Amino acid sequence: MATPIGSSADAIGRLKELDREARRFEHIGALLGWDRETGMPPRAIEERAHQEALISALHHEKITAPQVGELLEHATAEEGTLDAAFLTVKRREYEKNTRVPTEFVKEMTELTSRAQAVWATARAENDFPAFEPFLDRIVEMNRRLSDYLGFQDHPYDALLDQYEPYATTAEIDRAFCDLEAGLVPLVAAIAEVRPPDDSFLRHRYPADGQERFSRELMVALGYDLERGRLDRSAHPFTTTLGAQDVRITTRYQEDFLQGSLFGTIHETGHALYELGMPAELQGTLLAEGTSLGVHESQSRLWENMIGRSRPFWIHWLPRLQAIFPTQLEGVSVDQFYRAVNRVAPSHIRVEADEVTYSLHVILRFRLEVALISGDLSVKDVPEAWRATSRALLGIAPESDSTGVLQDVHWSFGGFGYFPTYALGNLYAAQLLDVIQRDIPDLWDRVEEGDTSQVLAWLRSHVHAAGSTRRARELMKDVTGRPLGAESFLSYLTSKYGEIYRL
Ligand code: ZN
């Protein structure tokens, strides 16, 4: 016999206990994943896959248990309270995870784990036809997923909602059209000017020195090594293992200094958000970024707007030169600043500069929407990719390896993910506008190596809310305007207009 639920307060109390347990499973899973990427011996992979699948099944069971559904029916809270926010997010989690049949989840997991292996080989061998039948099924399954999850206007809305809750295809399309209209002529104007010399970034920079600098930098930005650590992995990431344990990884390319410098700042930005969750939210599902777009706004604000600014390097270049005296001998702040902000249209998204990056995202967004709505068939994707790339970036990849096959996302089924990368840029620029207004001596401080006021500002305006507020509403309240491309475009125009003397 089931225990009687009792009052609404009892129901909320019990839901919170169950939620805490669910978070612990999540964090244990994250620890297994972190270890897989940083230190696990290669032959442990098979066992690890079973361990991770088990933990993830236990987590899924916890959040979809019938008891959670019953408790949610009995729990109510006064609007505007923390409990009300908790119930909203908890209910969303429960519904999203129970609407999709277990059989479907299993089928998708099996398909995408095979698809990822096929994709890796197809990319290495420039063989789109090998990946095509898998992509075909992945698109078809994403359409079904969208039906299970439910949507109002466009089937892509449901997919987007997994990563950017409550966002719609229509509003993102509007912002991206404005973004495109501003970026394309800016890129064309920059292409007319001789690019700054960045050859000194490609000297040999031993990994140990890069690591020493990364560590110094992240601590100076406010990262607490008592609550996290820095390790090496093939692809940089941030992972949360608990309220007091948010770890980041980076990679060191000895022939390209930029990678670790800005990769570390980027991940530090993500980590500062996770570490900034207020005590009353810690250990609950509210202690998470409110959307991937807002998460990305934190990493990009630190990486590009602060980290790629001239004042930042007035402080940090001498320190970097102390570690790499011969490689950076005679390099001035101005040369360094211009080199790390060099703009050039290229094929690979993850290597793109700050100006062209969003165009790569718009391309993927358009193709995804067309695939999901049925306007584009999978066999035509490589050609559509080239045509869209030509229209947006002015160049088209010669091979599918550097075109349609370059990203891992489609092979794991992640339709709806890409737009959040560009949303991060838009939100970051809107935030920067307000930060500059609220901290009048911002850049003088940055020049002295002091970014503590920026962090304090983000803590109180963004981090403190956790996911108690919807991304769109939070950003509108904090920045005073709805999501749009205006701030980002004027930031880019003024910064690159100066660098390239446009
Ligand atoms: Zn990121």
Side-chain angles (χ1 to χ4, degrees):
M1 205 184 86
T3 342
I5 287 165
S7 68
S8 164
D10 292 343
I12 294 181
R14 184 72 191 117
L15 275 171
K16 285 183 178 167
E17 277 171 43
L18 291 171
D19 180 57
R20 262 177 208 283
E21 285 175 13
R23 290 322 116 198
R24 287 187 182 126
F25 277 116
E26 214 167 71
H27 295 152
I28 294 167
L31 176 57
L32 291 173
W34 170 81
D35 178 68
R36 165 168 38 77
E37 296 304 312
T38 54
M40 186 187 77
R43 285 183 58 188
I45 187 70
E46 182 95 25
E47 265 172 340
R48 181 54 49 87
H50 291 304
Q51 293 163 348
E52 292 193 59
L54 176 63
I55 290 292
S56 131
L58 290 170
H59 172 252
H60 192 258
E61 237 168 67
K62 270 274 165 242
I63 59 178
T64 57
Q67 193 193 2
V68 174
E70 285 160 28
L71 290 165
L72 281 168
E73 270 174 38
H74 287 83
T76 50
E78 200 182 321
E79 220 177 305
T81 60
L82 206 53
D83 280 349
F86 171 76
L87 287 178
T88 304
V89 182
K90 192 72 194 162
R91 195 164 276 132
R92 214 182 111 85
E93 180 191 62
Y94 177 76
E95 285 172 2
K96 292 237 162 248
N97 283 283
T98 47
R99 273 183 203 158
V100 185
T102 319
E103 266 313 299
F104 177 88
V105 176
K106 239 182 101 191
E107 197 185 329
M108 187 72 139
T109 310
E110 278 166 12
L111 171 65
T112 53
S113 76
R114 282 174 59 214
Q116 282 178 68
V118 171
W119 163 78
T121 314
R123 181 169 80 157
E125 294 171 0
N126 187 31
D127 184 6
F128 180 74
F131 182 54
E132 191 187 314
F134 286 88
L135 185 56
D136 213 44
R137 280 195 60 203
I138 288 170
V139 169
E140 187 264 324
M141 289 199 71
N142 265 288
R143 285 209 202 103
R144 273 164 66 199
L145 177 62
S146 160
D147 285 334
Y148 288 132
L149 293 171
F151 59 89
Q152 281 195 329
D153 298 321
H154 196 290
Y156 190 76
D157 290 353
L159 304 176
L160 199 53
D161 185 82
Q162 303 173 96
Y163 310 102
E164 194 65 24
Y166 308 102
T168 66
T169 311
E171 81 182 314
I172 289 182
D173 189 48
R174 264 195 307 276
F176 283 5
C177 282
D178 293 344
L179 190 54
E180 177 192 357
L183 286 179
V184 171
L186 179 61
V187 173
I190 290 174
E192 298 291 308
V193 184
R194 212 166 80 104
D197 172 27
D198 66 351
S199 56
F200 54 83
L201 295 173
R202 295 171 191 280
H203 292 163
R204 202 178 158 276
Y205 291 92
D208 285 349
Q210 293 192 42
E211 186 162 72
R212 220 171 344 129
F213 186 74
S214 294
R215 227 170 261 283
E216 203 176 309
L217 195 53
M218 60 197 272
V219 169
L221 296 178
Y223 184 90
D224 181 356
L225 282 169
E226 299 274 304
R227 298 172 69 200
R229 45 183 290 152
L230 172 68
D231 292 88
R232 299 181 186 195
S233 68
H235 302 283
F237 63 90
T238 301
T239 185
T240 299
L241 313 183
Q244 308 304 333
D245 191 352
V246 179
R247 305 182 184 191
I248 71 172
T249 69
T250 195
R251 77 176 141 197
Y252 307 101
Q253 295 156 274
E254 299 206 321
D255 57 355
F256 189 56
L257 181 60
Q258 281 220 49
S260 76
L261 286 185
F262 297 101
T264 304
I265 304 177
H266 183 97
E267 299 308 327
T268 299
H270 281 302
L272 291 174
Y273 189 12
E274 293 283 313
L275 288 167
M277 298 294 158
E280 69 267 26
L281 304 184
Q282 287 176 3
T284 77
L285 85 175
L286 294 174
E288 281 173 13
T290 185
S291 75
L292 288 194
V294 173
H295 229 300
E296 201 63 10
S297 76
Q298 300 303 293
S299 54
R300 289 188 189 251
L301 186 114
W302 286 107
E303 177 197 350
N304 291 331
M305 291 160 189
I306 305 287
R308 278 191 166 88
S309 71
R310 195 193 308 262
F312 188 80
W313 288 104
I314 290 176
H315 175 80
W316 283 103
L317 183 61
R319 185 58 208 129
L320 191 61
Q321 282 172 319
I323 296 179
F324 300 115
T326 48
Q327 296 91 328
L328 293 169
E329 195 185 351
V331 173
S332 69
V333 169
D334 196 57
Q335 282 171 309
F336 191 85
Y337 168 64
R338 288 162 55 85
V340 299
N341 286 295
R342 186 187 159 115
V343 175
S346 63
H347 299 305
I348 306 296
R349 175 185 59 87
V350 296
E351 293 167 7
D353 57 78
E354 191 184 12
V355 180
T356 57
Y357 186 89
S358 304
L359 294 168
H360 290 264
V361 174
I362 296 175
L363 179 157
R364 286 152 180 78
F365 168 72
R366 300 240 165 104
L367 297 191
E368 285 191 350
V369 172
L371 280 167
I372 295 302
S373 62
D375 296 339
L376 174 66
S377 64
V378 167
K379 68 172 173 23
D380 298 328
V381 172
E383 189 41 48
W385 186 289
R386 285 189 285 272
T388 317
S389 177
R390 220 171 280 124
L392 293 171
L393 289 153
I395 53 170
E398 277 162 24
S399 76
D400 290 334
S401 294
T402 54
V404 60
L405 290 171
Q406 69 179 273
D407 296 303
V408 69
H409 303 60
W410 288 351
S411 74
F412 69 66
F415 275 67
Y417 194 118
F418 282 121
T420 66
Y421 293 130
L423 290 181
N425 286 334
L426 303 186
Y427 282 144
Q430 291 186 208
L431 289 170
L432 183 68
D433 279 347
V434 194
I435 293 174
Q436 294 187 116
R437 195 193 62 204
D438 288 358
I439 312 174
D441 61 347
L442 169 73
W443 297 113
D444 295 333
R445 299 275 194 138
V446 172
E447 201 177 307
E448 287 159 14
D450 176 13
T451 53
S452 59
Q453 280 192 321
V454 180
L455 181 57
W457 192 97
L458 291 170
R459 286 259 190 275
S460 65
H461 289 84
V462 180
H463 305 177
S467 52
T468 61
R469 310 272 324 269
R470 296 182 184 192
R472 190 192 326 184
E473 290 164 10
L474 176 69
M475 287 294 117
K476 194 171 172 217
D477 282 358
V478 172
T479 70
R481 44 166 93 161
L483 173 71
E486 202 186 320
S487 290
F488 185 53
L489 285 172
S490 77
Y491 155 78
L492 290 179
T493 309
S494 116
K495 175 174 174 180
Y496 290 89
E498 193 260 336
I499 293 175
Y500 281 85
R501 305 191 178 94
L502 301 176

